[in-house]
């Protein structure tokens, strides 16, 4: 692990190559990676946050939460993605705090992460985000609400005038609509008896 991270720091490996190698090592890397979430090199911090989220070690939640305030935008976004993958409800307060960040890509990522965590306590904040000025953020919030089941569905219905909510509701309806079976074979071709 230290060798891979030093190769990353010295730019001998790209962040993607380093992450791939660390993922092959598996869960044994989590203790060392959690410490590298605060490394001086932003690429090392980014790879550490991404791999921790992909490995799925809930013990790294605190280290990932700290990266939500990282000076590097990519690291903040990577930390939010990783927290969403982990699904640890302990991350919800920190994610909610960052939902109001000035960076729309981070806000959209955080909304998606909150949906992945699946905590109904986030419904109010996600609903308020439906009218975000950035369409990607409002869509991410709507999809997060859609993923929260009945309570999220009710919140979307209550705000159906919001374009992103209406879109998410339509997607839910399409997903639940019964599919016509054998539609093509049931059609009579010209000259064939029906």
């Amino acid at each position: 692990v230290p060798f891979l991270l030093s190769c990353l720091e010295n730019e001998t490996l790209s962040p993607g190559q380093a992450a791939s190698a660390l993922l092959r090592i598996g869960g044994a890397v989590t203790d060392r990676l959690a410490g590298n979430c605060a490394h001086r090199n932003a690429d090392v911090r980014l790879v550490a946050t991404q791999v921790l989220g992909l490995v799925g070690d809930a013990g790294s939640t605190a280290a990932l939460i700290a990266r939500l305030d990282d000076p590097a935008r990519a690291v903040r976004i990577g930390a939010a993605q990783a927290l969403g993958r982990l699904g640890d409800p302990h991350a919800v307060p920190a994610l909610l705090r960052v939902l109001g960040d000035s960076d729309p890509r981070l806000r959209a990522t955080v909304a998606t992460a909150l949906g992945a965590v699946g905590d109904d306590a986030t419904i109010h904040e996600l609903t308020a985000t439906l009218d975000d000025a950035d369409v990607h953020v409002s869509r991410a919030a709507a999809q997060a609400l859609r993923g929260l089941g009945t309570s999220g569905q009710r919140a979307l219905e209550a705000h159906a005038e919001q374009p992103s909510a209406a879109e998410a509701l339509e997607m839910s309806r399409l997903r639940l609509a019964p599919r016509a079976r054998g539609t093509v074979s049931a059609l009579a071709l010209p000259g064939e008896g029906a």
Side-chain angles (χ1 to χ4, degrees), residues 25-105:
I25 294 171
V29 303
T30 57
D31 290 340
R32 290 184 176 165
L33 283 179
N36 281 291
C37 283
H39 195 276
R40 70 183 173 279
N41 183 297
D43 284 341
V44 173
R45 294 192 310 272
L46 176 60
V47 168
T49 60
Q50 290 175 332
V51 173
L52 286 171
L54 292 169
V55 169
D57 179 28
S60 6
T61 299
L64 292 168
I65 287 172
R67 292 302 94 209
L68 290 172
D69 295 318
D70 196 275
R73 175 183 189 241
V75 175
R76 291 191 305 274
I77 290 169
Q81 289 170 334
L83 289 166
R85 283 188 195 105
L86 293 180
D88 187 344
H90 292 99
V92 169
L95 288 167
L96 287 174
R97 177 182 51 79
V98 180
L99 188 60
D101 192 89
S102 62
D103 181 349
R105 181 147 182 238

